[in-house]
Amino acid sequence: MTKEPTKAATPTAARADAKGRAPADAAPASNRATRAAERRSAIVEAAMEEFIARGFAATRLDDIARRAGVAKGTIYLHFKDKESMFEELVRTVIVPVVAKLNALPPPTGSVRDLVEAFAGNFLREVIGTRRGDLVRLIVAEGPRFPSVADFYYREVVSRGIAGMRALIELGIARGEIREKNLARYPQILVAPAMIAVIWQSLFARHAPLDAQDMLRVHLDLIFGERRTT
Amino acid sequence: MTKEPTKAATPTAARADAKGRAPADAAPASNRATRAAERRSAIVEAAMEEFIARGFAATRLDDIARRAGVAKGTIYLHFKDKESMFEELVRTVIVPVVAKLNALPPPTGSVRDLVEAFAGNFLREVIGTRRGDLVRLIVAEGPRFPSVADFYYREVVSRGIAGMRALIELGIARGEIREKNLARYPQILVAPAMIAVIWQSLFARHAPLDAQDMLRVHLDLIFGERRTT
Amino acid sequence: MTKEPTKAATPTAARADAKGRAPADAAPASNRATRAAERRSAIVEAAMEEFIARGFAATRLDDIARRAGVAKGTIYLHFKDKESMFEELVRTVIVPVVAKLNALPPPTGSVRDLVEAFAGNFLREVIGTRRGDLVRLIVAEGPRFPSVADFYYREVVSRGIAGMRALIELGIARGEIREKNLARYPQILVAPAMIAVIWQSLFARHAPLDAQDMLRVHLDLIFGERRTT
Amino acid sequence: MTKEPTKAATPTAARADAKGRAPADAAPASNRATRAAERRSAIVEAAMEEFIARGFAATRLDDIARRAGVAKGTIYLHFKDKESMFEELVRTVIVPVVAKLNALPPPTGSVRDLVEAFAGNFLREVIGTRRGDLVRLIVAEGPRFPSVADFYYREVVSRGIAGMRALIELGIARGEIREKNLARYPQILVAPAMIAVIWQSLFARHAPLDAQDMLRVHLDLIFGERRTT
DNA sequence: TATGAATGAGGTTTCATTCAT
DNA sequence: TATGAATGAAACCTCATTCAT
C-alpha cells in the first residue's frame, strides 16, 4: 500500500547523448528537455505568484496550473507534492540571490560608499518587488516549514550577516565607524531595510515610506555626519 | 455585531428548568452572561494559539473548539465565520497593547532612559512570547486581511510612530540626539526590536540573539557614547 | 504536518450517562446514538454490496454514500479511511458467523446427520447469498489485506477446521467413518462446499450446480453407503 | 485485433534510413516482427505479475511498463486499453494449460494411478506458482470480467470437468470406484486441489498444508483402501 | 445557549490515455 | 514502431458551516 515515486529530477535530460553522439540536428530551443525546463520555470513562476499572494495553505494547485498554462497533472511531473513544490520553489528562487552575494566586488573606496551602494541596490531590487514578497513569505511560512527557514538562514542570512560584519569591522578599522559594538550586531545595519520591505507590503497605502532616504539617515547614524553629496 | 439577539427560552435552558430546581452551580458571579464571556475568551485564547501555530488557512475550527473546551457549533454563537473570528481576534488581542501605549507616563528624566525603559519592557513582553508571534502573524496574514493590517496600522503602528517621533524630537531639542533627520524616520528606532521578534521565531535555534544587548548598541548609535552605567 | 484522527469508535455512546443518571426520557428508538448506529449499519450494508460487486479498489466511496443515503463526509465520521472501512466491514460481517459457529448444539445422533444438517444449513445460508460473496471477496482481496485474511483465518477458518476435525474424530470413533486419515485434513470435508460457493459466483449461468445433491454424494464417499432416506 | 495495420514508413524508420546505411544490429532472426513479439510477451509477463499482485483495478500501467522495460505508450501499440489487455492476457496465459489438457495420454494402467499422476502434476505445477495465482485472480475478477470467466469456463473448466467425468466413469466401469454418483459431480474430485490453491495464497503462513498428502487421503476416499505403495 | 452529527463544496493527488517527436 | 511528457477526469479526503436536539 506504499509507493515512492520521487520524481522532480530533470526528466529527459541526457537521453540524446545515450546514442553516443552529440545531437547535431537538435534545434537548440525546441527539443523535449528544453520545453520541459520551460514548463518547469513557468510552474515555478506561477507558484511564486500564488504562494506570495495567498500563502501556502490557501494556494490552490488549480490556480498555479492555470497561471502556468499547464494541466494540473503536469505539476506532479516536476514536484512530488504541494509541500515539496513550496520548498524547492523557495530554494530555486533564492539561488540567484546567493550567487549575487558571492559575486560582490572586493571593497574599494570608503566603507560607507560600499554599504550605501549595496543597500541601495538591495532596496531597489527588493522593495516592492517579488523578491521582497519572498522575504515576507519566508517570515510567514517559516515556522511551518523549518527546512525552508533553515535553508534561508544557511544560504542567505548567515552569509549576509558575515559579510556585514566584515564590512563593519573594516569601517571600524578605518575609523569610519566609531561604535565598535556594532560588529557584534550586524542585524542593526540591515534592520531598517527589512522593516522597509515589510512596511511596503503592509502599510504602504497608508503611509508610503522612502526607503532610500531612510537608509541614508540610518547610515548617518552609523557613519557620523552626512557627507555633502 | 456577530451575535444573534439573545432569545428568551432555548430548549436546553427550558429543559434544565423543567427539573424544578435551581442549578446548584450557578454562583451569583457566574451568571449566564459571565459564562458566555468566559467561553468567548476561551475561544479567543485558543484561536490565538492555533492561528499563531498554523496560520489562518491551515487552522481548523475543530482544533480551536477542542482547545477551548467547547463544541464546534459554539464558536458560531460568538463569531460569524472563520474570517470574522480572525479579524475580531486580532482586534481583541491588540486592545490591551493600545491601552498600554496610551498609559505611558509623561517624559521625565532623560529621553534615552525613557526609550531604553520602554523598549526594554517591550522586548521582555514581546520577544519569545505570544505577543511577538502576533506580530509575525500580522506580517504573515496582513496582505490577505487588509482590515487587520489597517486596524493594526491605525491602532498600534501609527500611534507608536507618533509617540516615537515625539520622543525623538524631545531628544533633539534637549541635545541628546544629534541626528535631526531621525525624527522623519522613527521606524529606525524600533527596527532592531522588530528584527529581534522575527529572528526569534525563525532563526533562534541556529543563532540566538541577545535582543536587550543589541538594543543598547542601537541606542548608543542614536544617543552617542554609552553612558557609564 | 501529520495528524492522527482515529475516529471510528462509537461516537456519542455514553454522553447521557455522564450526567450521572439514566436518561429516563430518552425515546428508545430515535435518540442520537441510535440514529448514528443506524447510519453506520446503512454504510456497512452499502459498502458490502459495493465491495462485493466491484472489489476494493474499484469501489467508489461516492457510490457507497449514495447507496447508504448519507453524504460522503458522513462515512468519515465512522471510518478513518477506505482501507479501515474495508477491514472493519469484514470484521463486522463475520462476527455473526462466528457467533453461529459457537452456538452449535452438542453432537447428538449420528455424525453424518450432524454434518449433513450443518453443511446443508451452510449451503442454504451461504450459496448465492451475500455471505457467499463475502467468501469470494476475502479470497479476492486477502493477499492485499493480510489483516483481513488473518482475521478470517483466526475467527472462522481455524475454528471451523477444529470443529470439523472433532466431528470427524467422533465419526471415526463411532465407526461411521473408515478413512482415519481424514481427521488430518478436515479441509476435504468442506472443500465441495467452498467450490460450490465459488462456482455459484462464476459459472452458475453456464452450468448450474445442485450443491445440496453434490454434498450428499460427497458425504456418501466419506460415510460409505447412502442411507435409505 | 488490437493492433493498427502496419504502416510502411514511420518517422523513426525513415530517419534511420536517412543515414544511408543498413541498421547494423538487424540480425536475420531478430527482425521487426520478432522483436515486436518479444515486447508483447514481455508486456504480458509483466502484466501477469502485476495483476496477480494487485488485482485489476489497483494495477498501474506505469508499473507494467516499467517491469516490461517498455514505455507506457508501447502498451497501447499492443492492446486497446487496460481492460482488453487483461482479457487477452488471461487468454494468452490459459492457452498452454488447454494445450496440456488436450495432450493427455490415453488411459493405460489403473484409473487411480492416472488420476494420482495427473493431480500430483497439477499440484506441483500450480500450487504456490504463478499459475495458481491465476486461478485466484480469475476468482477475484471473474464477476467484473464475465468474458474472462466465460473463457475460462469454456476452455478449462468445462473440458476439465468432462475429462474428469470420463475418468470417473472408466473407474466405475472397471470397479475401481464404487460411488456411481460421483460421475455426476466431478467437481468433488478436484475440490481439494482448488482448496489447496486458495489456502496457499491466504493461509499458508498460519498453517501450511501438505497438498500432495491431502490429495492421497482424498483419493483413498474415492478409490477405497489405500494401496500398499 | 450549547452541542456535535451531518453535510457537500472544494481541495490534493492519481493514473489511463493521447500524441508530438 | 517506440517514446514519455502532458492531459484532465475522477478518486479520496478535509473541514467550514448548518441545524435538530
Side-chain angles (χ1 to χ4, degrees):
Chain A
M1 297 289 158
T2 59
K3 301 151 292 180
E4 39 168 337
T6 61
K7 301 154 191 179
T10 50
T12 54
R15 193 165 49 89
D17 295 349
K19 299 292 179 190
R21 55 179 173 78
D25 57 346
S30 72
N31 54 18
R32 287 259 267 268
T34 303
R35 285 236 316 276
E38 281 167 3
R39 271 170 198 278
R40 193 190 156 99
S41 332
I43 294 170
V44 165
E45 190 72 12
M48 262 299 276
E49 302 278 2
E50 294 290 330
F51 281 137
I52 283 171
R54 308 202 207 299
F56 175 79
T59 290
R60 291 168 302 215
L61 292 187
D62 242 350
D63 290 341
I64 294 176
R66 183 159 35 247
R67 188 190 277 265
V70 301
K72 247 183 307 180
T74 304
I75 293 175
Y76 288 86
L77 298 175
H78 294 274
F79 302 97
K80 180 171 151 286
D81 58 15
K82 196 184 174 189
E83 288 197 17
S84 307
M85 176 163 58
F86 182 73
E87 294 177 357
E88 288 191 41
L89 178 75
V90 175
R91 282 181 178 77
T92 301
V93 179
I94 282 176
V95 162
V97 178
V98 176
K100 196 159 229 169
L101 282 181
N102 287 337
L104 280 184
T108 61
S110 78
V111 172
R112 158 129 199 181
D113 284 344
L114 262 175
V115 170
E116 191 153 1
F118 172 71
N121 203 43
F122 172 83
L123 290 180
R124 262 190 307 280
E125 289 193 359
V126 170
I127 297 274
T129 71
R130 203 170 312 143
R131 205 175 286 164
D133 290 323
L134 176 66
V135 172
R136 223 205 64 249
L137 184 63
I138 291 170
V139 170
E141 306 289 352
R144 268 152 285 158
F145 289 91
S147 78
V148 165
D150 290 357
F151 181 82
Y152 188 67
Y153 177 78
R154 198 172 54 245
E155 299 296 324
V156 179
V157 175
S158 68
R159 296 180 191 210
I161 293 288
M164 291 299 110
R165 177 170 289 128
L167 273 182
I168 291 168
E169 286 169 345
L170 186 61
I172 292 170
R174 290 190 182 174
E176 290 185 64
I177 297 174
R178 274 183 306 166
E179 178 55 57
K180 294 185 172 54
N181 289 313
L182 190 61
R184 283 161 47 215
Y185 297 107
Q187 290 91 343
I188 291 174
L189 197 62
V190 299
M194 299 301 300
I195 292 304
V197 168
I198 291 170
W199 187 282
Q200 197 63 22
S201 300
L202 297 181
F203 309 131
R205 68 186 177 289
H206 296 108
L209 184 65
D210 184 338
Q212 299 280 1
D213 193 38
M214 180 170 75
L215 172 71
R216 272 191 295 274
V217 175
H218 184 54
L219 293 184
D220 285 346
L221 275 178
I222 292 171
F223 290 93
E225 283 288 303
R226 184 202 294 256
R227 302 161 308 152
T228 54
T229 321
Chain B
M1 72 198 70
T2 61
K3 287 184 291 187
E4 300 285 337
T6 54
K7 282 175 272 179
T10 59
T12 306
R15 204 191 312 144
D17 295 348
K19 297 297 173 188
R21 53 178 173 75
D25 57 348
S30 165
N31 54 22
R32 188 174 301 170
T34 303
R35 277 186 308 164
E38 283 167 0
R39 273 174 195 278
R40 190 190 157 98
S41 65
I43 293 171
V44 165
E45 187 72 11
M48 261 301 275
E49 301 278 1
E50 294 290 330
F51 281 136
I52 283 171
R54 305 202 209 297
F56 175 79
T59 289
R60 288 170 301 214
L61 292 192
D62 242 339
D63 291 339
I64 294 176
R66 183 159 38 245
R67 188 189 275 266
V70 302
K72 234 188 320 180
T74 305
I75 294 176
Y76 286 85
L77 301 174
H78 292 273
F79 301 96
K80 176 168 154 286
D81 57 15
K82 198 185 174 189
E83 290 203 10
S84 308
M85 177 164 56
F86 182 73
E87 294 176 356
E88 291 190 40
L89 177 75
V90 176
R91 284 182 178 77
T92 303
V93 178
I94 281 176
V95 163
V97 178
V98 176
K100 197 160 226 168
L101 282 181
N102 288 337
L104 280 183
T108 61
S110 78
V111 172
R112 159 133 197 177
D113 284 345
L114 261 176
V115 170
E116 192 154 0
F118 172 70
N121 201 45
F122 172 82
L123 290 180
R124 265 190 305 281
E125 288 193 359
V126 170
I127 295 273
T129 70
R130 201 172 313 143
R131 204 174 287 162
D133 290 323
L134 177 65
V135 172
R136 226 204 63 253
L137 184 63
I138 291 170
V139 170
E141 306 289 354
R144 267 151 288 156
F145 290 91
S147 77
V148 164
D150 291 357
F151 180 83
Y152 188 68
Y153 177 77
R154 200 170 55 243
E155 299 297 322
V156 178
V157 175
S158 69
R159 295 183 194 208
I161 292 290
M164 289 300 110
R165 177 170 289 128
L167 273 181
I168 291 167
E169 286 171 344
L170 186 60
I172 292 170
R174 289 190 182 173
E176 289 185 65
I177 298 175
R178 273 185 307 168
E179 178 54 57
K180 294 186 172 54
N181 288 313
L182 190 62
R184 283 162 48 217
Y185 298 105
Q187 289 92 342
I188 292 174
L189 196 61
V190 299
M194 300 301 299
I195 292 302
V197 167
I198 292 170
W199 189 280
Q200 199 63 23
S201 300
L202 297 182
F203 308 131
R205 70 184 176 290
H206 296 108
L209 186 64
D210 183 339
Q212 298 280 359
D213 193 39
M214 179 170 76
L215 174 70
R216 271 192 296 275
V217 174
H218 185 54
L219 294 184
D220 285 346
L221 275 179
I222 293 172
F223 290 93
E225 285 286 303
R226 186 200 294 256
R227 299 161 310 153
T228 52
T229 318
Chain C
M1 293 294 159
T2 60
K3 299 155 291 179
E4 40 167 339
T6 61
K7 302 153 189 178
T10 50
T12 53
R15 193 165 49 89
D17 295 349
K19 299 294 181 189
R21 56 183 174 73
D25 57 347
S30 72
N31 54 17
R32 289 258 266 267
T34 303
R35 287 236 315 276
E38 282 167 2
R39 271 171 197 277
R40 192 190 157 97
S41 338
I43 293 170
V44 165
E45 190 70 14
M48 262 300 275
E49 301 279 3
E50 294 289 331
F51 281 136
I52 284 170
R54 307 203 207 300
F56 175 79
T59 290
R60 289 170 304 216
L61 292 188
D62 242 350
D63 290 341
I64 294 177
R66 183 161 35 248
R67 190 190 275 264
V70 302
K72 245 181 311 177
T74 303
I75 293 175
Y76 290 87
L77 299 175
H78 294 273
F79 303 96
K80 178 171 153 287
D81 58 16
K82 197 184 174 188
E83 288 197 16
S84 307
M85 176 162 57
F86 182 72
E87 294 177 357
E88 290 190 41
L89 178 73
V90 175
R91 283 181 177 77
T92 301
V93 178
I94 283 176
V95 162
V97 178
V98 176
K100 196 158 229 168
L101 282 181
N102 288 338
L104 281 183
T108 61
S110 78
V111 171
R112 159 135 197 177
D113 284 344
L114 261 176
V115 170
E116 191 154 1
F118 172 70
N121 202 41
F122 172 83
L123 290 180
R124 262 191 306 280
E125 289 193 359
V126 170
I127 296 273
T129 71
R130 201 169 314 142
R131 206 174 285 164
D133 291 323
L134 176 66
V135 172
R136 222 205 66 249
L137 184 63
I138 291 170
V139 170
E141 305 290 352
R144 267 152 286 158
F145 290 90
S147 77
V148 164
D150 291 356
F151 181 82
Y152 188 66
Y153 177 78
R154 198 172 53 247
E155 299 296 323
V156 179
V157 174
S158 69
R159 298 182 191 208
I161 293 288
M164 289 301 108
R165 177 171 289 128
L167 273 182
I168 292 167
E169 286 170 346
L170 186 62
I172 292 170
R174 289 191 182 171
E176 291 185 64
I177 298 175
R178 273 183 307 167
E179 178 54 56
K180 294 186 171 53
N181 289 313
L182 190 62
R184 283 162 48 217
Y185 297 106
Q187 289 92 342
I188 292 174
L189 196 61
V190 299
M194 299 302 300
I195 292 303
V197 167
I198 291 169
W199 188 281
Q200 197 63 22
S201 300
L202 297 180
F203 309 130
R205 68 185 175 290
H206 297 107
L209 185 66
D210 184 338
Q212 299 280 359
D213 194 39
M214 179 170 75
L215 172 70
R216 271 190 297 273
V217 175
H218 185 54
L219 293 184
D220 285 346
L221 274 179
I222 293 170
F223 289 93
E225 285 287 304
R226 185 199 296 254
R227 302 162 307 153
T228 54
T229 319
Chain D
M1 75 199 70
T2 60
K3 287 184 288 183
E4 300 284 338
T6 56
K7 283 175 270 180
T10 57
T12 305
R15 207 191 308 145
D17 294 346
K19 297 296 175 190
R21 50 178 175 75
D25 56 345
S30 166
N31 55 21
R32 191 173 298 168
T34 304
R35 278 185 308 165
E38 282 167 2
R39 275 174 195 277
R40 189 190 158 98
S41 66
I43 293 170
V44 165
E45 188 71 13
M48 261 302 275
E49 301 278 1
E50 295 290 331
F51 281 135
I52 283 171
R54 307 201 208 297
F56 174 79
T59 289
R60 288 169 302 212
L61 291 193
D62 240 341
D63 291 338
I64 293 176
R66 184 161 34 248
R67 189 189 276 265
V70 302
K72 235 188 316 180
T74 304
I75 294 175
Y76 286 85
L77 300 174
H78 292 272
F79 302 97
K80 176 167 153 284
D81 57 16
K82 198 184 174 189
E83 291 203 9
S84 308
M85 176 164 56
F86 182 73
E87 294 176 358
E88 291 190 38
L89 176 74
V90 176
R91 282 181 178 77
T92 302
V93 178
I94 282 176
V95 163
V97 178
V98 176
K100 196 160 226 168
L101 281 181
N102 288 338
L104 279 184
T108 62
S110 80
V111 172
R112 159 132 199 179
D113 284 345
L114 260 177
V115 170
E116 191 153 3
F118 172 71
N121 203 42
F122 171 83
L123 289 180
R124 263 191 304 281
E125 289 193 359
V126 169
I127 294 274
T129 70
R130 201 171 314 144
R131 204 174 288 163
D133 290 322
L134 177 65
V135 171
R136 227 205 62 252
L137 183 63
I138 290 170
V139 169
E141 307 290 352
R144 266 151 287 157
F145 290 90
S147 76
V148 164
D150 291 358
F151 180 82
Y152 189 66
Y153 177 77
R154 198 170 54 246
E155 299 297 323
V156 179
V157 175
S158 68
R159 298 181 191 208
I161 292 290
M164 290 300 111
R165 176 170 290 127
L167 273 181
I168 291 166
E169 286 170 345
L170 186 61
I172 292 169
R174 289 191 182 173
E176 290 185 64
I177 298 174
R178 275 184 306 167
E179 178 55 56
K180 296 186 172 54
N181 289 313
L182 190 62
R184 284 162 47 217
Y185 298 106
Q187 290 92 342
I188 291 174
L189 196 61
V190 298
M194 300 302 298
I195 292 302
V197 168
I198 291 170
W199 188 282
Q200 198 63 22
S201 300
L202 298 182
F203 309 131
R205 69 185 177 289
H206 296 108
L209 185 65
D210 183 339
Q212 300 279 1
D213 193 40
M214 180 169 75
L215 174 70
R216 271 191 296 273
V217 175
H218 185 55
L219 293 184
D220 283 347
L221 275 178
I222 293 171
F223 290 93
E225 285 286 305
R226 185 199 294 257
R227 300 161 309 154
T228 53
T229 318

